[in-house]
Amino acid sequence: MFVMLNYFGAKRLNRQFLNEKAELLTEEAGMIAEEYVTPYYRDTTKLSDMLVQLHSIDRFLGTRIWVVNTNGMVFVDTGEGSRARGINVDNYNPQFLDEVVRAEYLTNVTFPSVMTNEMLVVAQPIYLDYSLRGYVCIFLPMASVSKSVTQYLDIVNICYIAFMLILMVIFVVIYIITLAPVRRMTKVTEEYARGHFDVPMKIRSHDEYRSLANAIKFMADEFKNLDDYQKKFVANISHDFRSPLTSIKGYAEAMADGTIPQEMQNKYLDIILFETERLTKLTTNLLVLNGFENQGVILEITSFDINEVIHRTALTFEGTCTKKRITLNLVFGDNALFVDADMGKIQQVLYNLIDNAIKFSNPDSSIDIKTEERGSKVFVEVKDHGIGIPKDSIKRIWERFYKTDLSRGKDKKGTGLGLSIAKEIIQSHRENINVISTEGVGTEFIFTLAKSL
């Protein structure tokens, strides 16, 4: 910036000053021609009087004034000693006067033995009765123009240097202010990378660094929760796989070594099949959830009658309901109620919710399944009159493998993944699923679907 200012800026200032000086001197030359030289040609003033006026202007402007006749002869020179008086400018340059008038001004002009310093020159023709009688030439030393440019640049440079010093102080302060929190955040982040998520992030400022520190701390807490979740996940899945595998291995070995008599083997083969189905269901559910997490599940949206799907799903539980003496009440607002969704996925949601309701309902009770149209949405409700969910467990029922204390004794074959899958499916449709439950009274699940237009 400094080099550009003093190189390109100086050139630009020099051109600007030359233009301004030339314009001013041209006006002065025109005024001199009209007010002082023309009266001389009209014999209304003397040459001596004209010289007095021109010397006054010369001293005031710091210039040198020539009056030249049409033959190129200088007959007035306000310079020291009037050395140019009597010379003919055509001898130096026959085109000089025409060039000055045509170009408005010339720079770096010299006349050997008369004017050795480089000059800025302007010229104005003198007309009398529409006849050219001569020229008024005003010379200004180029050094004075350069001096004006230098003075102006000196002021700018002083301001620039002062600004740079102030800016350097500001940069030093900013560096000190920003370095400490960045170093602190870097150190704490390295601790988080080592797995030490409990290291505090102490940033006292209330600016962007505080926001960044809070974001890093939030990320660390999420990693910590993820780490805890992974440990819990491994523990849960290990437990859920170990139990059936232990039963399968134990009974298979007992049958192989003859501990279980031939006539009782069918009973234990049924147990092995039951445990195998548990493992299959658990594996299938884990794959479904993993697909949702990785956004690998593609929904096949179609328009279908939700009442018909509910009716078909309810029929699959007919044997279980008969055995447990549970009544399924289907309450539909309309005979047909069409929605836009993935029919297979919604059927899975209904299956999981009805299955849960049957598991935790008391014998000789009922389960209500309702549909209702509200605006552009269809509300589906599955309500049981069973054991209910404790208040402190309601927020956790959507977690994988989570089972309430009340359900552990009743749900021997459950995986704890059904509600997680139901929520993932509904959310993938950009809809909502909620639960209302009172312990000892019952539980009600409600989810929404988009109504077909």
Side-chain angles (χ1 to χ4, degrees):
M1 289 291 293
F2 189 81
V3 170
M4 289 177 64
L5 177 66
N6 284 272
Y7 181 74
F8 298 104
K11 285 189 173 183
R12 184 177 180 84
L13 280 173
N14 193 64
R15 286 195 299 270
Q16 183 176 343
F17 272 64
L18 284 174
N19 291 332
E20 291 177 355
K21 289 290 186 181
E23 185 178 353
L24 175 64
L25 295 179
T26 300
E27 292 178 0
E28 289 292 333
M31 184 270 295
I32 290 171
E34 182 179 351
E35 295 187 10
Y36 301 112
V37 181
T38 300
Y40 168 74
Y41 281 123
R42 293 183 184 277
D43 296 325
T44 58
T45 186
K46 297 180 180 179
L47 178 62
S48 59
D49 294 335
M50 181 181 69
L51 285 172
V52 171
Q53 296 294 336
L54 295 183
H55 277 297
S56 298
I57 296 173
D58 185 1
R59 286 191 296 271
F60 177 74
L61 296 177
T63 58
R64 185 171 181 174
I65 302 172
W66 287 1
V67 180
V68 185
N69 61 25
T70 54
N71 296 323
M73 185 70 67
V74 178
F75 68 92
V76 173
D77 177 16
T78 61
E80 185 178 353
S82 300
R83 286 186 298 173
R85 187 175 180 182
I87 71 168
N88 194 314
V89 296
D90 290 343
N91 294 334
Y92 293 92
N93 183 358
Q95 305 297 324
F96 171 72
L97 293 172
D98 291 336
E99 287 177 358
V100 176
V101 174
R102 185 170 59 253
E104 296 184 354
Y105 69 90
L106 295 178
T107 57
N108 303 321
V109 175
T110 59
F111 286 92
S113 73
V114 176
M115 190 184 300
T116 57
N117 294 330
E118 293 182 340
M119 295 285 186
L120 163 70
V121 58
V122 300
Q124 281 288 87
I126 305 168
Y127 289 99
L128 180 64
D129 298 328
Y130 303 102
S131 175
L132 179 65
R133 303 297 297 272
Y135 299 89
V136 174
C137 299
I138 301 180
F139 297 86
L140 177 69
M142 292 293 296
S144 67
V145 177
S146 300
K147 183 178 180 181
S148 299
V149 173
T150 302
Q151 290 175 344
Y152 187 85
L153 280 177
D154 287 344
I155 296 173
V156 173
N157 285 330
I158 291 171
C159 295
Y160 181 79
I161 292 171
F163 170 74
M164 288 297 296
L165 292 174
I166 295 171
L167 199 61
M168 287 177 64
V169 173
I170 293 173
F171 281 166
V172 170
V173 172
I174 292 175
Y175 178 78
I176 294 172
I177 291 174
T178 57
L179 183 62
V182 169
R183 283 182 173 174
R184 176 62 183 167
M185 284 189 288
T186 302
K187 184 177 179 181
V188 174
T189 305
E190 290 173 353
E191 292 296 323
Y192 290 160
R194 297 188 185 100
H196 305 150
F197 298 113
D198 294 326
V199 177
M201 181 76 75
K202 296 180 180 177
I203 302 296
R204 297 182 179 86
S205 61
H206 295 278
D207 50 15
E208 291 82 0
Y209 292 101
R210 181 68 173 270
S211 301
L212 179 59
N214 291 336
I216 294 174
K217 180 61 178 172
F218 175 77
M219 181 181 66
D221 292 339
E222 290 297 307
F223 278 127
K224 181 181 178 182
N225 293 335
L226 180 61
D227 187 53
D228 293 341
Y229 169 77
Q230 288 176 339
K231 292 177 181 177
K232 185 177 178 181
F233 177 83
V234 171
N236 283 329
I237 200 168
S238 298
H239 176 269
D240 282 3
F241 270 93
R242 185 172 60 248
S243 297
L245 286 173
T246 301
S247 298
I248 292 170
K249 181 182 178 183
Y251 292 133
E253 288 177 347
M255 285 187 288
D257 60 19
T259 304
I260 298 176
Q262 183 72 29
E263 62 273 10
M264 296 184 65
Q265 286 187 4
N266 287 336
K267 172 184 176 182
Y268 292 101
L269 281 173
D270 289 340
I271 295 175
I272 290 174
L273 289 172
F274 175 78
E275 296 295 351
T276 304
E277 289 176 3
R278 281 184 61 193
L279 287 174
T280 302
K281 183 178 180 181
L282 177 60
T283 305
T284 302
N285 288 341
L286 285 173
L287 290 174
V288 170
L289 284 173
N290 186 64
F292 278 108
E293 274 191 351
N294 297 326
Q295 298 180 348
V297 176
I298 300 175
L299 298 177
E300 297 179 5
I301 305 297
T302 58
S303 180
F304 60 90
D305 182 6
I306 186 64
N307 293 343
E308 176 63 25
V309 172
I310 292 173
H311 186 266
R312 289 203 309 266
T313 306
L315 287 176
T316 62
F317 292 97
E318 185 175 359
T320 306
C321 291
T322 301
K323 187 184 298 184
K324 206 171 178 180
R325 302 187 304 279
I326 293 176
T327 304
L328 293 181
N329 298 323
L330 307 184
V331 182
F332 302 145
D334 296 306
N335 292 330
L337 191 56
F338 284 86
V339 296
D340 292 329
D342 187 318
M343 185 170 65
K345 296 293 188 298
I346 297 304
Q347 193 167 11
Q348 188 175 5
V349 172
L350 291 167
Y351 184 92
N352 290 349
L353 294 181
I354 297 173
D355 186 45
N356 259 22
I358 293 173
K359 286 177 187 175
F360 305 116
S361 289
N362 299 316
D364 300 310
S365 62
S366 63
I367 297 173
D368 301 325
I369 306 173
K370 299 179 181 179
T371 59
E372 183 180 357
E373 178 184 345
R374 299 180 193 171
S376 62
K377 299 291 182 182
V378 172
F379 286 75
V380 181
E381 173 190 323
V382 179
K383 181 178 181 181
D384 64 60
H385 302 84
I387 61 176
I389 304 171
K391 186 179 294 186
D392 57 351
S393 298
I394 288 181
K395 292 183 179 180
R396 302 190 58 192
I397 61 173
W398 310 109
E399 297 178 10
R400 299 181 184 184
F401 299 106
Y402 181 75
K403 296 182 182 181
T404 66
D405 293 334
L406 294 176
S407 70
R408 294 187 187 277
K410 288 179 171 288
D411 188 15
K412 294 294 185 182
K413 62 178 181 179
T415 62
L417 298 174
L419 291 180
S420 298
I421 293 173
K423 185 173 183 179
E424 291 287 351
I425 291 174
I426 295 301
Q427 287 185 338
S428 69
H429 284 77
R430 298 184 179 178
E431 299 292 340
N432 297 311
I433 182 169
N434 296 301
V435 60
I436 302 170
S437 184
T438 303
E439 194 172 349
V441 176
T443 303
E444 178 182 1
F445 286 93
I446 303 172
F447 65 89
T448 61
L449 294 173
K451 188 181 71 172
S452 295
L453 299 178

